Amino acid sequence: AIQQEHEQLEGIISKKKIDLVISDNRYGCWSNQVKSIFITHQVNILVPWYVNKWINTFNAKSIKNFSMCWIPDYKGNYSMAGKLSQTSGDNFRFIGSLSRFKKLDYIEKRYDVLAIASGPEPQRSAFEILLRKELLKLNKKALLVKGIPSESTIIKHSLLDEVDFLSTTELNLMIQASDIIICRSGYSTIMDLMKLNKSAILIATPGQTEQEYLATRLKQNGIMYSENQRAFNLDRAIVEMKSYANHFNFENQGVELSEAINEVL
């Protein structure tokens, strides 16, 4: 598949007269014709020890095909991804946090708790069921986003509202209009929360090593509270998360895209 996308890209570059390629973690999207950039926060991939050397050798070799590797993170003490992203070298550039969201000036509160189910099946469904069970125990106004690409109509109940799917604009609004966020600990989600300066209760997808590492790291650093899915208790989590606060402020710390591109060209 990697070889196939590489060959297809070379054809597109010739046909469309492309000047620069920016690849979002697609190993085959590099070119001998023009400069190319690889984007990843996983310079070091966490995998079981018996495949670690093979996987990370492949990863490093593949990244070298590109003119530059952009890492959506911060270097050193401000790193969000920790050992996943930290590296050195002339062809690596830390470009700061990337997010589809925008911090809004003033938002009226709508919910006490916003719970977001996401990820591959069957874990998405298992997480949805768990969240609903825990939310129904609370005497708080809550919204459950089920993470199913479908209708975005909110079905209203007494205290627990539910919706299949929210657009970027709607989700951006609801996160900022809610006091407590419960979600997976995927890296894109963490960058979105950091952008909005929102803390959260993180529940890693079982078996996803990266999410488990990120949730544990943020908890150990006192930034966001996390729990194991099997032992998740929302009442306890709400109490515990009060001692955690988002200590990161990334305002004006990002890199201008034009600056990063000119550096490559």
Side-chain angles (χ1 to χ4, degrees), residues 116-119 124 145-149 163-165:
I116 306 168
S118 61
R124 188 215 61 79
V145 181
K146 294 186 281 187
I148 305 170
V163 63
D164 287 345
F165 177 81

Side-chain angles (χ1 to χ4, degrees), residues 213-227:
Y213 167 75
L214 290 170
T216 300
R217 184 175 185 277
L218 291 170
K219 183 177 182 179
Q220 289 175 342
N221 289 344
I223 298 168
M224 295 186 194
Y225 180 71
S226 65
E227 284 200 0

Side-chain angles (χ1 to χ4, degrees), residues 192-224:
D192 287 338
L193 292 168
M194 294 294 191
K195 173 71 175 183
L196 303 177
N197 285 330
K198 292 286 288 188
S199 190
I201 298 169
L202 301 176
I203 310 295
T205 302
Q208 288 201 11
T209 312
E210 177 200 359
Q211 287 195 16
E212 292 170 342
Y213 167 75
L214 290 170
T216 300
R217 184 175 185 277
L218 291 170
K219 183 177 182 179
Q220 289 175 342
N221 289 344
I223 298 168
M224 295 186 194

Side-chain angles (χ1 to χ4, degrees), residues 1-13:
I2 292 172
Q3 181 62 31
Q4 188 177 51
E5 71 181 13
H6 173 64
E7 293 171 356
Q8 290 174 343
L9 177 69
E10 293 284 49
I12 291 170
I13 290 171

Side-chain angles (χ1 to χ4, degrees), residues 45-57 209:
I45 300 175
L46 294 183
V47 289
W49 64 268
Y50 49 86
V51 291
N52 179 70
K53 184 177 181 180
W54 183 86
I55 290 292
N56 280 289
T57 297
T209 312

Side-chain angles (χ1 to χ4, degrees), residues 63-121:
I63 292 174
K64 285 182 179 180
N65 287 325
F66 294 81
S67 310
M68 177 74 71
C69 177
W70 284 354
I71 302 174
D73 196 4
Y74 300 89
K75 199 170 184 177
N77 293 334
Y78 289 97
S79 171
M80 296 178 291
K83 63 184 179 182
L84 297 176
S85 70
Q86 296 306 292
T87 187
S88 60
D90 294 337
N91 65 325
F92 293 97
R93 179 80 147 98
F94 287 86
I95 62 171
S97 182
L98 299 177
S99 175
R100 56 186 171 147
F101 292 152
K102 180 180 180 181
K103 196 170 182 181
L104 303 173
D105 293 332
Y106 172 77
I107 295 295
E108 184 178 348
K109 175 182 169 180
R110 299 194 184 186
Y111 292 98
D112 296 306
V113 182
L114 171 65
I116 306 168
S118 61
E121 297 291 1

Side-chain angles (χ1 to χ4, degrees), residues 117 144-154 162-166:
L144 171 60
V145 181
K146 294 186 281 187
I148 305 170
S150 181
E151 295 294 325
S152 58
T153 302
I154 296 177
E162 297 191 15
V163 63
D164 287 345
F165 177 81
L166 291 179

Side-chain angles (χ1 to χ4, degrees), residues 116-177:
I116 306 168
S118 61
E121 297 291 1
Q123 288 299 337
R124 188 215 61 79
S125 292
F127 193 35
E128 176 193 331
I129 292 168
L130 175 61
L131 288 171
R132 184 180 292 107
K133 176 184 175 183
E134 291 295 312
L135 290 169
L136 287 172
K137 296 178 184 177
L138 289 179
N139 186 30
K140 295 181 182 292
K141 184 67 175 174
L143 174 63
L144 171 60
V145 181
K146 294 186 281 187
I148 305 170
S150 181
E151 295 294 325
S152 58
T153 302
I154 296 177
I155 307 301
K156 294 188 173 293
H157 302 291
S158 56
L159 284 176
L160 176 59
D161 295 345
E162 297 191 15
V163 63
D164 287 345
F165 177 81
L166 291 179
S167 68
T168 294
T169 301
E170 292 166 330
L171 188 56
N172 181 49
L173 172 63
M174 290 303 177
I175 288 175
Q176 295 178 77

